Amino acid sequence: MSTTGANADPLAALGSLPGVADSVESVRKAVDRVYGHRIMRRRGTEITSEAALRGARGSAALSGADWALEEVRRRTDFGGDAEARVMGAALRLSAEAGQLLSIWRQSPLRVLARLHLVAAASKGDEVGRPRQAGETVEEPLIELPLPDAAEVSGRLEGLADLIIAGTSAPALVTAAVVHGELLALRPFVSHNGLVARAAERIVLIGSGLDPKSICPAEAGHAELGRASYLAALEGYVSGTPEGMAAWIAHCGRAIELGARESTAVCEALQRGAA
């Protein structure tokens, strides 16, 4: 996404793209419904914990570790094979995201570095910083052209400036742009998809759209499927109004599906079945 030009608030301008206002309104209604559920008043903490688990499972699925939810509950060791490590990274990020809200608006790049550090869980020199010239990226499920390190640096700075400056854009638009930009840039040597989805989660919480983190967009993205996710991402990368609007709408549908998932959890708890 270009962050230059005459418009002082380019994120807000995206809100006027065809169909985006409808997506924003649909997301708001879906989120309001789950927050208004009677179970939320008594068992909100349980809903938040379950949403975190389901969000982590969904994010891991999009990064190649498509495990059944009960398998995620059952496992205690996530340090074994590659899929287990992906799942462990997703779970760690899900737990970490809510702890970084106070830092995000002042220093988003610091938060992104922390997310990568948590996901990678290693002490290599390449961990917790944007990749440098000549470094390769391990992100096999995203095959879009990879921007070079200089472009990554400039666009990350531009994205950070937008977040720090603040925007009148709806939370859906901001979250979708943060998510899409990080996927397009793949700024780290690994775990970019997991980090991008965790950053989307931080925006949704911090914006007040989903302050209790009970609408796991990651679960919705997984339900929509990897092919749909990558096709929508291509629209974002194209930079066209139609492509950008399609990506924002895709992210909106993911949030709605996440809200539906938590509504189902509320209903199960209400019936005494969970």
Side-chain angles (χ1 to χ4, degrees):
M1 175 190 176
S2 174
T3 58
T4 60
N7 193 328
D9 191 352
L11 292 178
L14 295 176
S16 64
L17 291 175
V20 170
D22 290 340
S23 293
V24 169
E25 180 63 19
S26 184
V27 165
R28 170 54 67 187
K29 288 180 179 178
V31 173
D32 285 348
R33 279 195 295 271
V34 66
Y35 270 86
H37 199 287
R38 59 188 298 180
I39 286 294
M40 278 298 299
R41 292 194 296 272
R42 295 185 286 112
R43 304 179 71 172
T45 301
E46 293 174 67
I47 306 302
T48 296
S49 295
E50 184 66 17
L53 185 70
R54 293 177 183 229
R57 192 216 74 82
S59 190
L62 290 169
S63 286
D66 193 0
W67 291 11
L69 187 61
E70 291 311 312
E71 176 68 5
V72 182
R73 293 190 205 280
R74 183 186 68 80
R75 290 284 287 268
T76 57
D77 177 15
F78 296 97
D81 61 24
E83 286 194 9
R85 291 194 297 274
V86 168
M87 186 61 69
L91 289 166
R92 290 192 300 273
L93 286 174
S94 184
E96 186 77 7
Q99 310 302 313
L100 299 172
L101 295 174
S102 62
I103 306 171
W104 175 254
R105 285 294 300 272
Q106 287 74 41
S107 185
L109 297 184
R110 181 180 163 196
V111 169
L112 294 175
R114 174 62 184 170
L115 291 174
H116 186 245
L117 188 67
V118 169
S122 69
K123 297 180 180 179
D125 291 342
E126 75 283 1
V127 174
R129 62 156 173 77
R131 55 187 167 86
Q132 298 174 356
E135 290 182 329
T136 58
V137 174
E138 182 185 344
E139 203 72 41
L141 301 179
I142 299 177
E143 299 179 350
L144 295 169
L146 189 68
D148 64 28
E151 182 178 351
V152 167
S153 178
R155 286 173 62 175
L156 278 180
E157 290 289 348
L159 181 64
D161 288 346
L162 288 177
I163 294 166
I164 292 168
T167 177
S168 61
L172 167 61
V173 172
T174 304
V177 167
V178 168
H179 185 171
E181 192 72 354
L182 292 174
L183 286 178
L185 293 178
R186 282 147 288 163
F188 302 107
V189 297
S190 64
H191 300 91
N192 290 287
L194 294 175
V195 168
R197 291 183 288 274
E200 179 188 49
R201 165 64 28 214
I202 289 171
V203 173
L204 294 174
I205 299 170
S207 67
L209 177 63
D210 183 17
K212 295 183 179 179
S213 194
I214 60 171
C215 302
E218 307 94 326
H221 285 300
E223 184 173 341
L224 289 168
R226 190 180 300 154
S228 178
Y229 185 68
L230 295 177
L233 176 61
E234 288 183 4
Y236 177 87
V237 171
S238 76
T240 65
E242 297 80 8
M244 296 291 287
W247 170 250
I248 293 168
H250 181 90
C251 290
R253 288 193 296 274
I255 298 169
E256 290 180 55
L257 289 171
R260 187 181 71 179
E261 187 127 340
S262 286
T263 299
V265 173
C266 287
E267 306 252 336
L269 288 171
Q270 186 167 279
R271 294 192 304 268

